[in-house]
């Protein structure tokens, strides 16, 4: 698994969007027991925190110690620095395994072998994510140019899995289809918009290669359109649920 997010761990914690309660409710409706859950590549712990309100024990792992240092603490969440593909947990230990906005970075075959080892016989895996957000048309045009033209060469190839709505990832489970398409809507200040865009892995790759922040190329025009808009953003959410 690649570590593209240690550098901007604090920004990731502050600006990455959360998942709606109704999406978590959908996952929980297919979970047979609420004893133990594992959140893989937990980042700032946002999904682990949501799960902690339901499960007796939640384990959350990430390969980035910087991310874990910025994670939200709860008494029933145990954070550890571990690889998704090789954990130290017992066999058949978890009722639910979640992966949010990260599975495209994994070695699929090795990770899924680990999932089969870790899940209880009636356990569930839920793969979550979100695509490119939409907002007002003027801002969307600037974001599209930023995403495709400015950052295009700096995206990792794995980004294609998100653009394909996770439909093309291997998923060797009996699939449970959600009853609806989920979305998440926010009203953002310009600071939040900027903060989120600067968490993109391609932005960090650009900075590393060029020594400058690509956001500077769009900041003034983006600010102008944002000030004239209703400041609403809508994320299409990705969800695949499976059982063994």
């Amino acid at each position: 698994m690649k570590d593209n997010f240690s550098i901007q761990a604090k920004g990731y914690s502050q600006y990455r969007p959360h998942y709606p309660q109704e999406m978590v409710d959908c996952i929980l409706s297919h979970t047979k027991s609420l004893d133990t859950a594992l959140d893989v590549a937990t980042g700032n712990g946002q999904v682990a925190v949501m799960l902690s309100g339901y499960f007796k024990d939640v384990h959350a792992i990430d390969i980035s110690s910087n991310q874990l240092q910025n994670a939200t603490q709860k008494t029933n969440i145990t954070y550890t620095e571990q690889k998704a593909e090789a954990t130290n947990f017992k066999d058949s230990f978890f009722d639910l395994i979640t992966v949010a906005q990260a599975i495209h970075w994994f070695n699929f075959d090795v990770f899924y072998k680990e999932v089969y080892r870790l899940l209880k016989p009636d356990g569930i895996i839920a793969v979550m994510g979100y695509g490119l957000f939409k907002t007002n048309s003027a801002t969307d045009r600037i974001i599209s140019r930023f995403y495709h033209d400015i950052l295009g060469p700096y995206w990792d190839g794995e980004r294609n899995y998100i653009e394909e709505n996770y439909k093309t990832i291997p998923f060797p489970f009996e699939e449970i289809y959600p009853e609806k398409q989920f979305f998440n809507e926010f009203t953002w200040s310009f600071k939040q918009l900027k903060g989120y865009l600067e968490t993109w892995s391609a932005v960090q790759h650009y900075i590393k290669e060029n020594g400058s922040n690509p956001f500077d190329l769009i900041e003034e025009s983006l600010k102008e359109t944002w000030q004239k808009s209703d400041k609403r953003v809508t994320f299409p959410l990705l969800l695949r649920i499976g059982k063994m």
Side-chain angles (χ1 to χ4, degrees):
M1 178 182 175
K2 295 180 181 178
D3 181 6
N4 280 334
F5 303 101
S6 287
I7 294 174
Q8 69 270 35
K10 187 174 181 179
Y12 198 94
S13 176
Q14 290 177 318
Y15 299 116
R16 281 281 169 145
H18 289 68
Y19 295 91
Q21 183 62 46
E22 63 173 347
M23 189 168 173
V24 175
D25 290 343
C26 174
I27 295 168
L28 294 177
S29 72
H30 299 289
T31 306
K32 302 299 183 183
S33 174
L34 300 178
D35 187 20
T36 53
L38 172 64
D39 187 37
V40 180
T42 193
N44 59 30
Q46 60 171 254
V47 172
V49 169
M50 297 187 80
L51 297 178
S52 71
Y54 302 92
F55 285 84
K56 179 181 177 182
D57 292 303
V58 176
H59 291 267
I61 64 172
D62 204 286
I63 61 171
S64 169
S65 59
N66 286 346
Q67 287 279 15
L68 295 176
Q69 288 168 12
N70 284 277
T72 302
Q73 303 297 313
K74 295 287 183 180
T75 56
N76 62 335
I77 301 177
T78 302
Y79 292 102
T80 52
E81 187 177 338
Q82 297 191 58
K83 292 182 179 179
E85 297 91 344
T87 72
N88 61 12
F89 301 111
K90 300 186 299 185
D91 293 357
S92 304
F93 189 59
F94 294 105
D95 300 295
L96 172 67
I97 295 176
T98 56
V99 188
Q101 198 71 359
I103 199 166
H104 50 288
W105 302 117
F106 295 177
N107 180 317
F108 294 120
D109 291 341
V110 180
F111 174 65
Y112 287 138
K113 183 179 179 180
E114 185 73 346
V115 170
Y116 267 87
R117 184 182 74 80
L118 294 176
L119 276 180
K120 294 177 182 178
D122 57 356
I124 294 292
I125 178 172
V127 173
M128 310 155 67
Y130 45 84
L132 183 63
F133 67 88
K134 293 290 186 180
T135 180
N136 65 87
S137 59
T139 299
D140 282 345
R141 286 193 292 271
I142 297 171
I143 297 297
S144 179
R145 181 170 67 87
F146 186 56
Y147 183 96
H148 295 286
D149 300 337
I150 297 174
L151 296 180
Y154 299 93
W155 287 109
D156 294 276
E158 293 90 340
R159 179 71 191 183
N160 290 334
Y161 288 116
I162 294 178
E163 294 179 349
E164 294 156 354
N165 299 317
Y166 276 169
K167 292 179 180 178
T168 56
I169 64 169
F171 201 65
F173 304 96
E174 181 182 342
E175 190 145 9
I176 301 169
Y177 295 96
E179 67 275 11
K180 59 178 290 187
Q181 167 71 54
F182 294 100
F183 296 88
N184 218 355
E185 294 187 345
F186 304 95
T187 301
W188 273 357
S189 67
F190 185 75
K191 179 181 178 182
Q192 288 172 304
L193 176 65
K194 177 182 179 181
Y196 169 69
L197 293 175
E198 289 184 330
T199 67
W200 284 357
S201 57
V203 170
Q204 302 306 314
H205 294 331
Y206 185 106
I207 291 171
K208 184 176 180 180
E209 185 165 326
N210 298 285
S212 60
N213 188 340
F215 186 81
D216 295 344
L217 301 174
I218 64 166
E219 183 165 9
E220 290 307 313
S221 58
L222 191 67
K223 184 181 293 184
E224 182 178 346
T225 63
W226 200 246
Q227 289 171 343
K228 296 176 181 178
S229 75
D230 61 4
K231 302 175 176 59
R232 301 284 296 175
V233 297
T234 301
F235 284 89
L237 299 178
L238 321 177
L239 177 61
R240 297 188 73 175
I241 304 172
K243 60 182 180 179
M244 295 193 298

